[in-house]
Amino acid sequence: MTLTRREREILALLRRDPLAGAQSIADALGTTRAAVNVHLSNLGKKGAILGRGYILRQEHAVVVIGGANVDIKVRSLAPVAYRTSNPGRSHTSPGGVARNIAENLARLGTPTHLIAAVGQDAAGERLLSETQAAGVRVEQVHRGPHPTGTYTAVLDADGDLVVAIADMAATDALAPEHLHTARELIGNAGLLVLDGNLSARVLSYVLDLASATGVQTLIDPVSVPKAALLAPLFAAGRPVFAVTPNVAELGALAGRDLDGATDADDPELLGAVAALHERGVRHVWVRLGARGSLLSTLDEGRVGLEAPPAEVRDVTGAGDAMLGAFAHALLGGADPVDAARYGHAAAALTVATPATVRPDLTPRLIEDALDAPLRRTT
């Protein structure tokens, strides 16, 4: 489903004035009322508008689609000894990239809807209950036949990830038909956030819907293998607002070997970024770990951001906090650079706690932490 140029112009006018009549739209576009009525009828048939007085999107709501599972984190009490038993501590909590992003958004005060898949089991009930208690709307979460997914992470004594195992059968089984009842919700989103845990079929379906309705889309590739599966979906005719890979994921998205790329000025890294811009991605935000990040904007240059200092207790959830806070700031009117700095601050606050989603995260807490220096490049 695609929109014509005139249909997109009409949607832009409706966003500014939801109650605009056909004649006022015609006057603004220099066309006839009859022609506008035809376009409005076509927009209704395509699902891009739902009737007069109901604009395309709720300007301050985010729809997040992707993985939701139970996190099992195990942390060694000493340097990890491989191929043997290690003393440690374990903790179980709600998790999943999309679910974590949704909770971060909700805790920051952004109206947030989660679309995901969980099992018809006790783990799924607990996951939904705790997610809803954090402020996330979960009515569109699909309850499927597969057990609720799990993500088991092994951390060393310093809180760094050693290895993780993900059982995502429930998410893998999510199909486009499970999202049909959420079409209006997706089409009305102020922002749409997707994670790479989704199948190519679902990602393609949602990206087509977002492109047709003009919804800005942010994508977290999640991992290198999933980034490789996501790569063919990027195309200039189906624009994406932002993608947030690390260096290895960027290489998979662009089909390039970036093993030697070490910083934001690396020519190979910049070439991969340019390749994504050519395929319709407006903002490429490359996470560089302790070195910060690179935010590159199509036709507007790039900005290097330093990571704020942080006392690391647990790195799990840092990327989810970054993306959630980034989306929250964008909806609040921040430009992408300031929104990225906001995201960095949220990540630093998150890794300083043992929680995957910091339970006391608030805009005030992030604003107080916003002291990271900014380095601009051309």
Side-chain angles (χ1 to χ4, degrees), residues 177-226:
E177 53 265 30
H178 299 140
L179 276 65
H180 286 174
T181 60
R183 285 176 59 88
E184 293 182 5
L185 178 66
I186 296 169
N188 288 322
L191 282 174
L192 176 65
V193 179
L194 307 176
D195 81 28
N197 286 307
L198 298 166
S199 69
R201 286 180 63 216
V202 171
L203 284 166
S204 182
Y205 173 83
V206 177
L207 286 172
D208 281 343
L209 179 57
S211 178
T213 55
V215 176
Q216 292 185 330
T217 305
L218 286 68
I219 303 178
D220 182 345
V222 175
S223 69
V224 171
K226 291 172 181 177

Side-chain angles (χ1 to χ4, degrees), residues 194 196 218-224 226-228 230-231 234 240-255 258 269 272-274 276-277 281-289 291-296 319 322-323 326 344:
L194 307 176
L218 286 68
I219 303 178
D220 182 345
V222 175
S223 69
V224 171
K226 291 172 181 177
L230 176 63
F234 288 115
V240 170
F241 181 75
V243 63
T244 62
N246 60 26
V247 173
E249 292 161 357
L250 172 64
L253 289 172
L258 299 182
L269 185 149
V273 168
L276 290 189
H277 284 321
V281 182
R282 179 163 180 75
H283 302 283
V284 182
W285 188 18
V286 187
R287 292 170 289 153
L288 301 171
R291 299 188 303 279
S293 67
L294 172 72
L295 178 64
S296 178
M322 281 184 70
L323 183 49
F326 178 67
H344 266 297

Side-chain angles (χ1 to χ4, degrees), residues 1-367:
M1 180 176 62
T2 58
L3 300 184
T4 66
R5 179 177 178 180
R6 181 64 84 192
E7 287 168 350
R8 292 181 183 277
E9 291 173 341
I10 291 173
L11 286 179
L13 290 172
L14 287 174
R15 291 189 187 103
R16 290 198 293 269
D17 182 6
L19 297 177
Q23 187 60 58
S24 64
I25 294 173
D27 293 342
L29 297 178
T31 186
T32 66
R33 178 173 179 170
V36 168
N37 281 328
V38 171
H39 291 307
L40 289 172
S41 175
N42 289 335
L43 285 167
K45 292 175 182 177
K46 293 179 179 181
I49 61 174
L50 305 175
R52 188 171 183 266
Y54 193 87
I55 60 172
L56 177 65
R57 64 184 69 185
Q58 299 171 9
E59 292 298 338
H60 297 291
V62 178
V63 175
V64 187
I65 311 177
N69 49 255
V70 176
D71 275 356
I72 305 168
K73 291 196 291 185
V74 183
R75 180 167 178 169
S76 175
L77 297 178
V80 173
Y82 293 92
R83 302 184 185 279
T84 188
S85 176
N86 289 261
R89 297 287 184 270
S90 65
H91 177 70
T92 301
S93 63
V97 173
R99 198 220 66 87
N100 293 343
I101 292 170
E103 182 177 340
N104 277 292
L105 279 159
R107 292 196 179 280
L108 291 172
T110 295
T112 305
H113 298 261
L114 175 65
I115 302 176
V118 301
Q120 301 179 42
D121 49 24
E125 290 289 348
R126 178 185 173 188
L127 184 66
L128 293 180
S129 176
E130 295 188 18
T131 302
Q132 188 174 34
V136 180
R137 299 288 296 271
V138 297
E139 293 87 350
Q140 292 295 335
V141 173
H142 175 65
R143 305 296 298 274
H146 298 279
T148 297
T150 59
Y151 172 83
T152 304
V154 178
L155 309 176
D156 64 20
D158 295 325
D160 291 325
L161 182 66
V162 176
V163 68
I165 304 295
D167 177 357
M168 302 294 291
T171 300
D172 294 341
L174 190 68
E177 53 265 30
H178 299 140
L179 276 65
H180 286 174
T181 60
R183 285 176 59 88
E184 293 182 5
L185 178 66
I186 296 169
N188 288 322
L191 282 174
L192 176 65
V193 179
L194 307 176
D195 81 28
N197 286 307
L198 298 166
S199 69
R201 286 180 63 216
V202 171
L203 284 166
S204 182
Y205 173 83
V206 177
L207 286 172
D208 281 343
L209 179 57
S211 178
T213 55
V215 176
Q216 292 185 330
T217 305
L218 286 68
I219 303 178
D220 182 345
V222 175
S223 69
V224 171
K226 291 172 181 177
L229 295 175
L230 176 63
L233 301 179
F234 288 115
R238 186 163 56 186
V240 170
F241 181 75
V243 63
T244 62
N246 60 26
V247 173
E249 292 161 357
L250 172 64
L253 289 172
R256 302 188 179 203
D257 182 3
L258 299 182
D259 285 347
T262 58
D263 58 52
D265 297 319
D266 187 285
E268 292 296 326
L269 185 149
L270 296 179
V273 168
L276 290 189
H277 284 321
E278 292 173 359
R279 290 160 59 192
V281 182
R282 179 163 180 75
H283 302 283
V284 182
W285 188 18
V286 187
R287 292 170 289 153
L288 301 171
R291 299 188 303 279
S293 67
L294 172 72
L295 178 64
S296 178
T297 299
L298 181 66
D299 299 328
E300 296 179 21
R302 60 187 188 273
V303 175
L305 296 134
E306 295 183 9
E311 181 179 348
V312 178
R313 295 187 62 186
D314 185 342
V315 298
T316 311
D320 305 336
M322 281 184 70
L323 183 49
F326 178 67
H328 170 80
L330 287 173
L331 282 176
D335 66 46
V337 174
D338 286 339
R341 294 183 65 236
Y342 197 87
H344 266 297
L349 289 166
T350 298
V351 300
T353 74
T356 300
V357 177
R358 184 165 177 148
D360 63 344
L361 190 68
T362 62
R364 177 61 181 272
L365 192 66
I366 295 177
E367 289 160 9

